[in-house]
Amino acid sequence: MLENGSFIDEQELITGERDIIDVLNPYTQEKIGHILCANKNEVIQAVENAHDVFQHTMKKMPAHKRSQILRNAAVLLEKRSEEFAELLTLEAGKPIVEARGEVGRAIQVLYFAAEGTKNLHGQQIVLDNAIGGEQQFGFSMRIPIGVVAAITPFNFPLNMALHKIAPAIAAGNTIVLKPAEKTPFSAVALYKLLREAGLPAGALNIIQGTGQELGESLVTHPLVRKVTFTGSGVVGWKINEMAKGKKVTLELGSNAPNIVFGDADINNAVSSILMGGYTFAGQACVSAQRIFVHTSVYEEFLGKLTEKVSQLKMGNPKEESTQLGPMITLAAAEKAESWIQEAVQSGAVIRTGGNRNGTFLEPTILDQVDFDMKVVCAEVFAPIIAVMPFDTEEEVIAYANDSRYGLQAGVFTNNINLAMRMAEALETGGVWINEVSVKRYDHIPYGGVKESGIGKEGIHYAIEEMTDLKFIGMKILP
Ligand code: NAD
């Protein structure tokens, strides 16, 4: 049984009377351990300690040392990849092959951040460009901001946490992280690894518990300068309200559009959307959800995709051959199932899947859907895609943009001009051509428009958003 408390200035908080949250294995539904929650006073202590460590240690730590800590952590994580992958499979139910993928990305995040530490600079500003600026010299500097509060979701417990921790360290900040209570153990393993890599005590504090209980104390603390949140829109926009006056990054959900034109390589579109719709049982913010297919290739595409989807191997996430594991909780699987049923009652047709067994939802394709069905207009966050036909470019642009969300999109075509027009027209933070919306590399600018969020992650961009740009000007005396 795993048991962890919060970590403040190296001390694990496990004594005293505490709320306890059980953590279940999503596959077996058995308890794998529990967390001993922090209380609101301890959240305040975590922030105050992080502020002290910022003032006395991190702010003064040279870039080469911060970079070395991040590189040390990358090397350690490489050595322990399998251990971390197994933990992700245990607490998130992520198929082991995908869990290894997450660890592989996390290692790269650490290397990108180690490089980013050494590339953090301002620029000269030529002052005599302005009338009166003669004999003056100006430049900008990027300086760390102080305490960063980070709140992360269950679906990438390691990599989403690192997308906040690594740039914060690179910038010379300190962090207080509240990981998802459904998957709290990867964050603790990461905390221990960073300490071993040389991160000073208190540069990263972890608080365990629910967001409802601890979120407000963390987000509104006056010593917190920046709040970075990845999770659902409902929570994210509430946090944005609470964080008034602070820097905020919100990485929220979407119902990503993927568009297949008549001239596309259909086999590439099918295999890409197969991966993009069902990776981690569709529990990714950029999961392919709304698939628009040109009428000329509609039946061909749908036939080929249906065949492949129906062959996906569901099962024990620990097994190498498993392609689709459980959803995170029974409630999440039941909700997704009820959305399928609602759609079917309103006329949608199930081409494959649709059934649930405990936390397992069969990979599902829906056809003949309406745009106001939840499986289309809301974020399903489940192994469900909805396929819809279109005739013209103008029509599909309007369909794809008819969404509250705008995170990433995929466009499949061999026509470069069409691809470029689509890239410009789609209201999303990113567009992939001949690749599915779910694709993400950890150094690309990543973040949504509309209700999908505010700000950008991707190491270089996250580092910038975790610094202040300061101007320094000088008059040169004769
Ligand atoms: P969630 O919003 O339920 O929880 C995310 C975190 O917020 C958890 O740590 C939770 O404890 C905390 N939280 C909950 N209520 C809170 C409150 N009132 N105040 C402060 N914190 C609170 O999300 P989830 O179910 O863990 O994750 C799934 C969601 O995350 C999906 O919507 C998905 O699209 C989104 N997501 C987005 C990205 C991205 O980069 N855009 C990446 C991964 C996941």
Side-chain angles (χ1 to χ4, degrees):
M1 279 288 151
L2 299 165
E3 179 187 84
N4 280 120
S6 303
F7 290 83
I8 302 179
D9 203 23
E10 208 173 16
Q11 301 303 314
E12 186 172 6
L13 309 181
I14 42 178
T15 55
E17 217 169 89
R18 298 187 173 277
D19 289 345
I20 292 177
I21 300 178
D22 287 343
V23 181
L24 304 185
N25 175 335
Y27 173 58
T28 60
Q29 286 294 290
E30 281 163 9
K31 180 176 166 176
I32 57 166
H34 59 251
I35 48 170
L36 302 160
C37 298
N39 59 42
K40 289 180 179 145
N41 283 335
E42 288 164 339
V43 173
I44 293 166
Q45 278 172 35
V47 174
E48 286 174 352
N49 171 253
H51 185 253
D52 276 357
V53 175
F54 171 67
Q55 291 293 355
H56 299 116
T57 311
M58 285 306 282
K59 195 170 143 179
K60 297 176 183 161
M61 187 183 280
H64 67 82
K65 193 157 177 211
R66 303 198 306 272
S67 180
Q68 188 62 50
I69 290 169
L70 290 160
R71 209 167 314 112
N72 292 348
V75 171
L76 284 171
L77 187 53
E78 252 168 327
K79 282 192 192 134
R80 297 192 198 142
S81 290
E82 198 56 20
E83 214 178 288
F84 272 82
E86 283 169 10
L87 185 53
L88 289 171
T89 296
L90 184 70
E91 70 174 1
K94 186 167 284 195
I96 187 71
V97 174
E98 288 178 28
R100 287 190 195 116
E102 181 174 346
V103 179
R105 282 181 55 187
I107 294 164
Q108 290 192 65
V109 165
L110 285 161
Y111 280 124
F112 282 134
E115 289 164 19
T117 310
K118 293 190 170 180
N119 284 299
L120 188 59
H121 46 69
Q123 59 180 161
Q124 183 191 348
I125 294 139
V126 180
L127 294 188
D128 65 3
N129 281 348
I131 296 166
E134 291 83 350
Q135 292 306 307
Q136 292 175 26
F137 184 80
F139 62 100
S140 62
M141 280 169 74
R142 288 221 165 257
I143 57 166
I145 51 175
V147 181
V148 174
I151 301 178
T152 49
F154 75 83
N155 61 340
F156 290 86
L158 179 66
N159 206 31
M160 289 298 107
L162 258 185
H163 263 281
K164 302 183 184 312
I165 295 169
I169 296 170
N173 296 315
T174 55
I175 320 113
V176 179
L177 169 73
K178 197 213 79 64
E181 58 275 26
K182 293 176 199 124
T183 53
F185 298 121
S186 301
V188 173
L190 178 61
Y191 167 86
K192 291 182 177 167
L193 183 121
L194 283 162
R195 288 283 295 131
E196 202 179 325
L199 189 70
L204 167 64
N205 289 329
I206 306 255
I207 52 166
Q208 301 281 17
T210 66
Q212 290 92 327
E213 182 64 21
L214 306 179
E216 190 169 357
S217 311
L218 177 61
V219 168
T220 58
H221 195 295
L223 291 176
V224 166
R225 284 283 323 279
K226 157 129 195 147
V227 179
T228 170
F229 172 82
T230 301
S232 62
V234 182
V235 176
W237 294 111
K238 209 184 296 171
I239 285 178
N240 191 46
E241 283 288 304
M242 288 194 269
K244 255 191 196 121
K246 300 178 195 288
K247 281 176 180 263
V248 174
T249 299
L250 299 178
E251 297 288 351
L252 312 175
S254 77
N255 56 355
N258 286 265
I259 301 163
V260 183
F261 282 96
D263 69 337
D265 177 332
I266 297 298
N267 291 335
N268 173 54
V270 166
S271 58
S272 304
I273 289 168
L274 177 74
M275 188 273 280
Y278 304 99
T279 293
F280 192 32
Q283 299 169 117
C285 46
V286 272
S287 239
Q289 180 178 330
R290 295 178 297 146
I291 317 299
F292 300 102
V293 185
H294 193 263
T295 41
S296 62
V297 290
Y298 190 80
E299 279 308 325
E300 180 193 354
F301 172 86
L302 196 50
K304 285 184 171 172
L305 184 68
T306 304
E307 192 189 333
K308 295 242 185 222
V309 170
S310 60
Q311 289 165 1
L312 284 174
K313 188 169 177 291
M314 288 173 80
N316 186 343
K318 278 185 178 170
E319 281 172 19
E320 300 287 331
S321 58
T322 294
Q323 293 170 299
L324 200 109
M327 293 188 61
I328 189 72
T329 58
L330 195 57
E334 283 170 350
K335 178 176 138 192
E337 181 192 27
S338 75
W339 284 19
I340 295 173
Q341 286 167 354
E342 232 177 89
V344 170
Q345 276 155 21
S346 308
V349 171
I350 297 175
R351 297 289 281 238
T352 184
N355 300 307
R356 183 184 62 81
N357 181 6
T359 47
F360 277 87
L361 184 70
E362 284 175 354
T364 302
I365 300 179
L366 292 168
D367 178 24
Q368 295 179 38
V369 291
D370 289 333
F371 288 1
D372 56 1
M373 290 175 178
K374 284 188 194 131
V375 289
V376 177
C377 68
E379 179 185 39
V380 288
F381 218 59
I384 304 169
I385 65 170
V387 186
M388 294 158 274
F390 72 91
D391 282 309
T392 67
E393 182 183 334
E394 293 67 34
E395 186 186 27
V396 80
I397 290 170
Y399 289 168
N401 287 343
D402 180 17
S403 172
R404 317 200 306 259
Y405 304 111
L407 197 46
Q408 281 203 154
V411 175
F412 295 84
T413 175
N414 280 324
N415 178 337
I416 182 78
N417 298 307
L418 175 59
M420 291 307 292
R421 288 197 301 272
M422 291 302 294
E424 227 179 288
L426 291 173
E427 296 166 355
T428 52
V431 177
W432 277 103
I433 309 296
N434 290 326
E435 182 53 276
V436 71
S437 58
V438 88
K439 193 83 184 174
R440 178 181 182 185
Y441 294 109
D442 296 282
H443 64 311
I444 64 172
Y446 181 85
V449 298
K450 301 189 196 170
E451 289 187 31
S452 289
I454 304 176
K456 294 285 173 197
E457 288 198 334
I459 299 308
H460 168 76
Y461 309 94
I463 294 174
E464 288 208 334
E465 293 198 7
M466 290 184 186
T467 54
D468 282 323
L469 190 65
K470 189 175 206 169
F471 167 74
I472 292 109
M474 199 192 310
K475 187 157 93 181
I476 304 165
L477 301 176

